[in-house]
Amino acid sequence: LNALLGLAGLAAGVGIGVFFIGKGFSLGRALPQNRSNGYLFTFVIAFILLIVLAAPAWFFASKEGPGSMHASVLLSLGAGLLVGALAQRSRLCFVGGIRDLIMFRDTYLFTGMAVIFVTALIGSLLVGKFHLGFENQPLAHTQGVWNFLGMTLAGWASVLLGGCPLRQLVSAAEGNTDSAVTVFGLILGAAFAHNFKLAAAPTGVPAGGQYAVVIGLVVVALIAVALTYVKTPVQGRVASGQKAC
C-alpha cells in the first residue's frame, strides 16, 4: 500500500509534466550524429559486465543487505536480454503509459503497465510474498508524504526527459546518446544518494533526502518554466519555422 502513494505521486508528476509539454516545453531538436556515437554506450556497458565477471580485487560488491541479494550474473544477463528485447519491441514506458492516457486517451502503454502489475501480483501470491498493508513491508517506509513527493519528482522529470528510466535505458542501447547521458546520470545519482546517506530506508527518509527532494522539485520547476516560457531567439525561429510548415 505504500507503493500506491508513490504511484499517485508519479501520476501527479506526469500530469504536471504534461501541462508544460502542452504549453510548448521542448529540450530542442534532435540532430543526427556520427554512427559510432550510438555504439559507445553499449561498449561501456559491456566493459562493466566484463569487470563484474572478472571480479578483480579492487571491485567491491555488497556482502550483506539488499545489494547482496540478487540472482547469478548469467541468469540476470539472460533475463535482462529477454526483458530488454520485449521492452524495445513494445516501446514499454511506465511514465509514457500515464502520459499517453492523459494527453491522447491512448491506453496501449498503460495496458502494458497493468499486465506487469497483475503478473507481479500473481507471482507474489504464488510464492507467499504478498502481505497487504503499510507496516513491515520489504524496504518500504510509511512516510506517505515523501513517498508521494519523491515519485512526483520522478514522474515530472521523466516526462520532460521523454521517458522513464527503463525507456531511457532501451533508448540508450538503440544509440540515443542523450538517453545514455541520462542513464549514467541515474547511476551516479544513485551512488551519490547512497554514499551521502540521502536514500530512503525502512526507517524513513533522512533529513538530507528530504532536502534533496525539495531541491530537485525546485530545479525541475525552473527548467520546465525556462524551456516553456523563456524562448531564446534561436528557439523562436525554430518554432516559427515549424508552425509555418
Side-chain angles (χ1 to χ4, degrees):
L1 296 181
N2 297 298
L4 294 181
L5 295 172
L7 182 60
L10 181 69
V14 172
I16 297 172
V18 167
F19 168 81
F20 282 99
I21 291 176
K23 293 296 183 179
F25 174 87
S26 174
L27 290 175
R29 298 174 61 187
L31 300 175
Q33 296 179 333
N34 190 296
R35 182 182 294 272
S36 61
N37 292 349
Y39 297 112
L40 183 60
F41 176 78
T42 303
F43 287 151
V44 172
I45 295 300
F47 178 71
I48 295 174
L49 175 61
L50 291 176
I51 294 177
V52 173
L53 294 175
W58 50 266
F59 183 79
F60 297 99
S62 299
K63 301 298 183 183
E64 58 183 9
S68 64
M69 302 168 63
H70 55 78
S72 69
V73 174
L74 293 180
L75 181 59
S76 298
L77 177 61
L81 289 170
L82 176 60
V83 172
L86 292 174
Q88 194 275 339
R89 296 299 298 172
S90 64
R91 298 184 298 107
L92 181 65
C93 177
F94 296 97
V95 164
I98 302 174
R99 178 202 60 203
D100 289 356
L101 188 63
I102 296 174
M103 292 185 68
F104 313 114
R105 302 297 187 267
D106 187 337
T107 60
Y108 172 72
L109 294 177
F110 190 81
T111 301
M113 294 172 55
V115 170
I116 291 175
F117 172 78
V118 172
T119 303
L121 176 61
I122 293 174
S124 296
L125 290 169
L126 290 176
V127 299
K129 295 294 185 180
F130 181 80
H131 305 289
L132 188 67
F134 289 96
E135 301 290 343
N136 301 318
Q137 301 295 330
L139 302 180
H141 59 79
T142 57
Q143 295 180 340
V145 171
W146 294 106
N147 259 341
F148 183 90
L149 290 178
M151 292 307 294
T152 297
L153 175 58
W156 190 356
S158 293
V159 168
L160 299 186
L161 282 168
C164 68
L166 172 62
R167 186 61 202 157
Q168 297 293 339
L169 185 61
V170 172
S171 183
E174 290 176 328
N176 187 321
T177 51
D178 287 341
S179 293
V181 172
T182 301
V183 171
F184 287 127
L186 290 168
I187 294 172
L188 292 175
F192 186 92
H194 283 279
N195 281 281
F196 290 93
K197 310 300 183 183
L198 304 180
T203 55
V205 181
Q210 296 176 12
Y211 286 123
V213 169
V214 173
I215 292 172
L217 288 169
V218 172
V219 170
V220 172
L222 291 175
I223 293 173
V225 171
L227 296 183
T228 301
Y229 299 105
V230 183
K231 300 293 185 181
T232 66
V234 173
Q235 288 176 311
R237 288 196 294 272
V238 170
S240 299
Q242 290 174 338
K243 187 175 182 180
C245 292

